[in-house]
Amino acid sequence: MPNTIADARTLTLSDIVDQLGVKPDDDGKVNDTRELRSRGKDLYVKEERGAHPSVVSRKLHREYAIERVRDSLAAEFNTLPDKAQQVLHDVFGREPTQITVKNLLRLHELGTSAKNLYEKCGHNLPLAFEAAKGVEEFPQLPQYEQIAKRKLPAEHKEAEKTKLLERVAQELIDDYVDQSKALKDLVKEEDRPELFAILLSKMSELPDSFGSCTRDQKAMWIRFASILGHTGKDPKTNEKYRIFSRDQLRCMTVEQRLTMLGTLINRFSQLRLTHDNWILGHSAKPKWAEENFAEQKTMWRLYIWISQGFGLDELAPLEEVRALESFIKAASKDAFFRDAYARWDDKNQKERMEVCQRLVDLYADKFILMQHKPSVAFLDAADCPPRAFTRPSVIHPYFDSINFNKEKVLTGDFCSACNSILHELTHCYQHELIWLKNTFQMNRDDPRHLRVKIFEFGTACYQLPSFFENLGFSEETALFAYKQNVIEQHAYQIGDYTESRMRELFAQQDTTEQKSESGETEQVNDSGE
């Protein structure tokens, strides 16, 4: 029988096309609508209409032919038959009830293109054929535009766009595509929120506790951090910009962010240990040294970016803001502090120390510091720790003393001194909460418990600017990186907020007093005295 294969059960799709001897017309088009039939293991092209014993027999011969083609496609790509069955559905838009020569050649044509995309699509056969359709229709455009330009109803376009975004998300996670190309070419800016939502749903499948993660899951968290920390470059201005925003980072739970940060620090520690062992071994510089050091910097760059996702409402929730407002208003109404505000330049070092200590006492009363209430000390620059050269004050490691650099504190006013004191007192408050938790004075259902986890993490990962400079960061970037630690973010925000509110309240009082004095003067003049 012509156009017949005696046993097609072990053949690939390419083998079937070759052995059946079917091919496109001379003009490249395929108009052959003859059916393929099979009686079990054979496969043949039905040349003309003929009588069959029954309708059931004809139906079975068509189904057998579909099975032979499906199995040959699976053999071509060394995958499972159910994946090949899905391709048949996707290519023909339905579950096929028969296969024609035209269908076979169409499948073979797409399969040839899909072979080049199969690995990039994570050995996902349906995705490879979908990508092949896009390349075929719009070869000059990136895949996202290929989808957008297809002549489909709006709801189908939206479904295909979501499907593409899901595929891009998975390829990003599996590292099958270049991040820059995927985020720049495949995904439009307005669709990045949808891509982020897809990534977020995939993150939820991972444990949100560092201790519960396997090695592969930790690697997956690093992949997510790499995607979220990716930057683009504006071709017109050549300036870098973030693909995803800080607000989007905050859509992740606190536990997810801490786990992601923990995996980055863990990876850095592994890299650093390998690096330090090489240094201590005094061996020749290995080939991997540059790559190792570059990855160390990458881990910290990602850490710095993800850390910026924490907001003041997470680091200082409502009850702390209320206590802080109570402290600020009490200080602004106190005659002692009002005098300090008005006559700060006239006060000597001893008087300033007294003012600062009174502020510490008031804060300790409002925030109930039982274990970490510090005293105040003014030190010469030569006696100050290194950090005191970058800011006016530092907290002693045991949280029992706030040490001011005299040269710096003498150059500011009362409100800037309040900023420094509140910055250091915030560190005391952070460790007060940690102490309460570690001494079992805080229940697990206490709303402050999650914040303690944040502060414990920040304390464990604390690094000075000099650490980042040794990694090769510039002095400016190193200081910025230091400030992104969550405990420093918290302290800087509280200090800046306090200074701003103090200035505002004292300015209001000055304005009120001026109006009052002006009113009294007018009354005196009206009386004629």
Side-chain angles (χ1 to χ4, degrees), residues 384-412:
C384 288
R387 275 176 293 166
F389 289 102
T390 59
R391 50 175 294 104
S393 62
V394 295
I395 190 70
H396 190 272
Y398 295 106
F399 302 95
D400 58 359
S401 176
I402 297 177
N403 299 324
F404 276 94
N405 181 335
K406 285 193 294 186
E407 292 182 5
K408 286 186 176 290
V409 79
L410 291 174
T411 60

Side-chain angles (χ1 to χ4, degrees), residues 2 10 56 69-70 87 94 145 168 253 285 337 342 355 461 470:
T10 60
V56 173
V69 172
R70 179 202 66 193
V87 169
R94 54 180 172 76
E145 294 295 335
V168 169
T253 66
K285 187 176 181 180
F337 294 121
V355 172
C461 301
N470 290 334

Side-chain angles (χ1 to χ4, degrees), residues 12 41 108 161 168 176 229 247 308 329 331 398 477 484:
T12 65
K41 63 179 183 178
H108 182 252
K161 183 189 75 174
V168 169
Y176 287 123
D247 289 339
Q308 294 177 54
K329 289 179 179 178
Y398 295 106
T477 303
Q484 297 319 301

Side-chain angles (χ1 to χ4, degrees), residues 267-393:
R267 177 59 181 160
F268 165 79
S269 300
Q270 293 172 348
L271 294 165
R272 193 67 176 182
L273 180 62
T274 303
H275 182 272
D276 290 348
N277 286 340
W278 157 59
I279 295 293
L280 293 172
H282 303 290
S283 59
K285 187 176 181 180
K287 293 180 180 179
W288 50 258
E290 292 294 338
E291 185 177 339
N292 175 291
F293 199 68
E295 191 176 351
Q296 288 184 44
K297 290 183 69 174
T298 297
M299 292 302 103
W300 277 106
R301 281 197 182 96
L302 295 174
Y303 172 91
I304 293 165
W305 170 242
I306 303 300
S307 294
Q308 294 177 54
F310 291 96
L312 184 59
D313 60 326
E314 293 171 321
L315 300 175
L318 190 57
E319 74 273 5
E320 182 180 342
V321 174
R322 285 173 175 165
L324 183 62
E325 273 294 313
S326 176
F327 162 82
I328 293 171
K329 289 179 179 178
S332 66
K333 293 177 181 178
D334 191 305
F336 179 80
F337 294 121
R338 284 178 49 73
D339 176 70
Y341 168 75
R343 300 177 52 248
W344 185 254
D345 290 341
D346 300 330
K347 293 187 177 295
N348 58 35
Q349 179 180 312
K350 182 178 179 181
E351 290 172 327
R352 290 187 179 190
M353 282 185 63
E354 182 183 359
V355 172
C356 293
Q357 189 62 56
R358 287 274 292 269
L359 282 170
V360 170
D361 294 341
L362 178 60
Y363 181 95
D365 178 59
K366 296 293 183 182
F367 283 80
I368 318 177
L369 294 183
M370 298 183 288
Q371 188 69 14
H372 297 86
K373 178 182 174 181
S375 59
V376 175
F378 280 33
L379 303 180
D380 292 327
D383 299 325
C384 288
R387 275 176 293 166
F389 289 102
T390 59
R391 50 175 294 104
S393 62

Side-chain angles (χ1 to χ4, degrees), residues 25 34 41 122 150 169 177 231 247 296 324 338 364 389-390 414 441 459 477 481 508:
D25 298 335
R34 293 176 296 168
K41 63 179 183 178
R150 289 191 193 167
V177 296
T231 57
D247 289 339
Q296 288 184 44
L324 183 62
R338 284 178 49 73
F389 289 102
T390 59
F414 171 71
Q441 299 182 62
T459 302
T477 303
Q508 288 176 357

